[in-house]
């Protein structure tokens, strides 16, 4: 019985995806979510870059509360927000989001049972923004707990937007490799394209932190200056970024370069022990690291194992951490 359960888990880890099909309702949006929006904002005859990263808690009955950070033409602002939503049985719906400065209506399409919502800002007369975005479940919505220690490993990141000087926008694109050490240190290596200057090497080091709600910050210093980001870890492990420096409107996401899965809890001591079985069901060698994290997000030292262990599995091979 135990090996059967573990076999199912590891089929998911190494490449098979199981999907269930069900009708949607307001209850499909229930818990903590992060959302991103990007597009353009119009003031008079001037159109500027627009990016937003927000966090909301949905009650499953059509109401959301939270906060958001917007960046319009390099002007960054923070706002509390409220929202009402209505989700139809076919998984379409609407969200009306209000802050102290504006109210916007979005058309939404839920996918993955509400784990992800695709958002389009509905155009109307007098609308000042147009664009689209995503609404993601926070990583802790899956039962795991976030903290600085849970953000660990190497990610590939794509960021884009614009930088502003005297209201003049210069396009900005970055492709980076970002490594979080699980202890608050982050390193970045990659390149940026600014305006017509393409492929400029960019590297830096800095610090990051993440709280239990899966929201956090990162500050990275390089020869080109210091940049500050708001970050958020969503279900599946992807990290969302919004630069919150003046005169920039830059956002994007970083995806782990190795698949990460989280086991919410295990037991050891006082007569208890846990056995973790890993099976490679593929035809290629798999290498990955298993890390143990305490409830407060710091590395957890497990007797006889340590705080982490590197595992390499040949095709169809099984190993155990006990």
């Amino acid at each position: 019985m135990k090996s059967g359960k573990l076999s199912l888990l590891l089929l998911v880890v190494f490449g098979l995806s199981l999907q269930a099909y069900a009708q949607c309702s307001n209850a499909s949006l229930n818990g903590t979510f992060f959302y991103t929006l990007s597009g353009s904002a119009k003031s008079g005859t001037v159109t500027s870059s627009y990016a937003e990263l927000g966090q909301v808690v949905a009650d499953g009955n059509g109401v959301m509360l939270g906060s958001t950070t917007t960046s319009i033409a390099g002007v960054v602002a923070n706002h509390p927000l409220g929202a009402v939503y209505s989700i139809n049985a076919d998984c379409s719906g609407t969200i009306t989001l209000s802050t102290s400065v504006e109210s916007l209506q979005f058309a939404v399409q839920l996918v993955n049972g509400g784990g992800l919502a695709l958002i389009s800002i509905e155009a109307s007369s007098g609308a000042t923004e147009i664009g689209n975005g995503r609404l993601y479940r926070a990583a802790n919505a899956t039962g795991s707990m976030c903290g600085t220690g849970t953000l660990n490993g190497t990610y590939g990141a794509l960021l884009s937007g614009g930088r502003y000087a005297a209201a003049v926008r210069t396009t900005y694109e970055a492709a980076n490799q970002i490594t979080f050490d699980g202890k608050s240190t982050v390193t970045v290596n990659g390149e940026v394209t600014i305006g017509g200057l393409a492929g400029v090497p960019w590297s830096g080091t800095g610090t990051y932190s993440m709280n239990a709600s899966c929201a956090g910050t990162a500050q990275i210093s390089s020869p080109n200056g210091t940049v500050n980001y708001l970050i958020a870890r969503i279900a599946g492990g992807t990290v969302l970024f919004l630069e919150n420096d003046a005169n920039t409107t830059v956002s994007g996401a970083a995806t782990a370069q190795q698949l990460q899965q989280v086991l919410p809890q295990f037991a050891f001591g006082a007569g208890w022990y846990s056995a973790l079985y890993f099976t490679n069901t593929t035809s290629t060698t798999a290498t990955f690291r298993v890390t143990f994290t305490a409830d407060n997000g710091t590395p957890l030292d497990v007797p006889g194992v340590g705080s982490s262990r590197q595992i390499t599995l040949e095709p169809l091979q099984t190993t155990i951490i006990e």
Side-chain angles (χ1 to χ4, degrees):
M1 181 65 70
K2 181 182 291 184
S3 62
K5 291 181 179 178
L6 291 168
S7 175
L8 174 60
L9 169 65
L10 294 165
L11 285 173
V12 176
V13 170
F14 290 112
L16 295 183
S17 176
L18 305 178
Q19 293 185 351
Y21 297 90
Q23 288 188 328
C24 291
S25 68
N26 282 353
S28 302
L29 293 183
N30 188 5
T32 301
F33 293 81
F34 292 100
Y35 72 87
T36 61
L37 297 174
S38 61
S40 60
K42 188 174 182 180
S43 177
T45 59
V46 178
T47 301
S48 305
S49 296
Y50 175 87
E52 182 170 349
L53 175 60
Q55 182 177 9
V56 294
V57 177
D59 68 356
N61 294 310
V63 176
M64 293 179 178
L65 295 174
S67 61
T68 187
T69 299
T70 61
S71 181
I72 304 175
V75 178
V76 179
N78 302 301
H79 305 284
L81 65 85
V84 293
Y85 62 93
S86 177
I87 304 300
N88 303 316
D90 65 358
C91 298
S92 67
T94 60
I95 298 176
T96 301
L97 182 152
S98 300
T99 69
S100 60
V101 297
E102 65 181 352
S103 180
L104 294 174
Q105 185 170 6
F106 307 98
V108 299
Q109 294 288 338
L110 301 191
V111 296
N112 294 338
L116 171 66
L118 311 178
I119 302 172
S120 174
I121 302 176
E122 293 189 333
S124 62
S125 59
T128 57
E129 287 89 16
I130 187 168
N132 55 55
R134 304 287 189 273
L135 179 75
Y136 308 89
R137 289 195 184 277
N140 61 5
T142 61
S144 60
M145 179 173 288
C146 281
T148 298
T150 62
L151 185 48
N152 186 11
T154 300
Y155 292 70
L158 294 176
L159 307 177
S160 63
R163 297 191 179 279
Y164 286 82
V168 177
R169 180 181 184 271
T170 301
T171 57
Y172 177 92
E173 304 282 344
N176 296 319
Q177 185 178 75
I178 302 177
T179 301
F180 301 95
D181 73 347
K183 301 177 182 178
S184 78
T185 298
V186 58
T187 60
V188 180
N189 290 283
E191 63 179 41
V192 299
T193 296
I194 303 177
L197 193 60
V200 178
W202 198 96
S203 62
T205 61
T207 60
Y208 73 97
S209 64
M210 179 157 288
N211 60 37
S213 73
C214 301
T217 60
Q219 183 180 76
I220 301 169
S221 297
S222 78
N224 301 316
T226 298
V227 292
N228 296 276
Y229 296 101
L230 300 178
I231 59 176
R233 187 166 176 263
I234 61 174
T238 294
V239 181
L240 309 177
F241 283 77
L242 175 68
E243 186 172 350
N244 62 336
D245 294 314
N247 302 315
T248 66
T249 297
V250 174
S251 62
T255 302
Q257 293 186 313
Q258 287 190 339
L259 181 65
Q260 296 187 14
Q261 297 288 333
V262 175
L263 178 67
Q265 61 183 11
F266 62 97
F268 64 89
W272 294 89
Y273 80 97
S274 295
L276 306 179
Y277 290 80
F278 300 89
T279 298
N280 181 4
T281 62
T282 73
S283 59
T284 59
T285 300
T287 299
F288 56 94
R289 179 168 292 276
V290 178
T291 61
F292 300 94
T293 304
D295 287 344
N296 62 3
T298 61
L300 176 65
D301 187 31
V302 178
V305 179
S307 61
S308 67
R309 177 172 293 183
Q310 187 82 3
I311 293 179
T312 298
L313 293 176
E314 299 300 323
L316 305 181
Q317 184 181 10
T318 296
T319 192
I320 179 175
I321 296 179
E322 193 169 15

